[in-house]
Amino acid sequence: MEKIGIILKEALKRSGFEKRLMEFQIFLNYDILVGENIARVSRPVFFRNEVLFIGVESPIWSHQLHFLKRDIIEKLNSSLRQPLIKDIKFQICSIDRQDSACSKRPERNTTARVPDKKIKMIYNISSEIQDPELRKKFIELMIKDQEYRMKKEEIKCSSI
């Protein structure tokens, strides 16, 4: 009997969905991958032809991040099974200010709540999966993964 991970991996490869899933991971984990300071003033907007477009809150930050472009590309690509990003383009846009995950101490024994924005992204990505049962399981898995990552980040922040 094959493990579910192997079955999912093969299904993703056959559907061409694996690349989209890796792109999705960049959007979901951007703040963790690039660090709190960069995430505070920027966010990924879209991905096209191996170029990641990142929204930045001001021309000054766009200029500053331009100098860090190579480092940002390396950080993001290193989190993936294979490099996807060849270049980054910065564009000015409004950035939703959210409190940092480290700014508040987590309460004990609470379940991390995945933000609606991330849940919508999960549903959007999973809409391409044809099999309804597989789609449902995939959504559950991705939401559990996000809860785990958020909880892990809370624990890391609370130990500081």
Side-chain angles (χ1 to χ4, degrees):
M1 184 170 209
E2 289 185 77
K3 293 183 178 182
I4 186 73
I6 294 170
I7 294 169
L8 274 175
K9 191 174 184 179
E10 290 302 314
L12 289 174
K13 280 183 184 177
R14 282 193 305 268
S15 69
F17 193 62
E18 187 175 26
K19 184 178 176 188
R20 293 268 323 241
L21 187 59
M22 286 192 293
E23 292 172 8
F24 178 63
Q25 290 299 322
I26 292 170
F27 284 80
L28 282 179
N29 302 312
Y30 180 78
D31 50 342
I32 295 166
L33 296 172
V34 299
E36 184 180 340
N37 292 335
I38 293 174
R40 193 178 304 129
V41 297
S42 67
R43 66 177 166 83
V45 180
F46 64 95
F47 195 86
R48 185 186 312 141
N49 299 328
E50 299 178 330
V51 176
L52 178 64
F53 290 79
I54 296 179
V56 183
E57 70 177 14
S58 72
I60 294 169
W61 275 111
S62 176
H63 184 71
Q64 185 67 30
L65 292 179
H66 184 75
F67 292 116
L68 300 173
K69 185 193 293 195
R70 284 283 132 219
D71 293 335
I72 295 170
I73 291 172
E74 286 177 24
K75 283 181 182 181
L76 295 173
N77 277 335
S78 69
S79 71
L80 305 170
R81 283 185 289 266
Q82 66 187 41
L84 287 182
I85 304 168
K86 299 269 193 229
D87 194 15
I88 291 177
K89 302 286 183 190
F90 298 102
Q91 57 188 43
I92 310 304
C93 69
S94 65
I95 305 297
D96 294 334
R97 297 249 182 213
Q98 296 179 355
D99 292 337
S100 164
C102 295
S103 64
K104 298 178 184 173
R105 242 178 160 39
E107 296 176 20
R108 299 223 182 255
N109 299 324
T110 59
T111 306
R113 185 183 178 294
V114 179
D116 291 339
K117 181 179 176 182
K118 288 188 179 187
I119 289 176
K120 285 178 185 175
M121 275 205 255
I122 291 170
Y123 276 94
N124 186 27
I125 293 292
S126 65
S127 67
E128 293 184 18
I129 299 174
Q130 300 299 319
D131 184 334
E133 237 179 276
L134 181 60
R135 183 182 327 112
K136 179 182 175 191
K137 292 296 181 191
F138 178 78
I139 290 169
E140 289 173 6
L141 178 68
M142 293 303 294
I143 290 173
K144 285 286 185 197
D145 179 62
Q146 281 307 301
E147 288 172 349
Y148 169 77
R149 289 173 188 263
M150 291 171 62
K151 195 69 172 169
K152 185 175 164 184
E153 189 63 27
E154 285 178 1
I155 291 168
K156 194 186 314 180
C157 291
S158 67
S159 64
I160 295 176

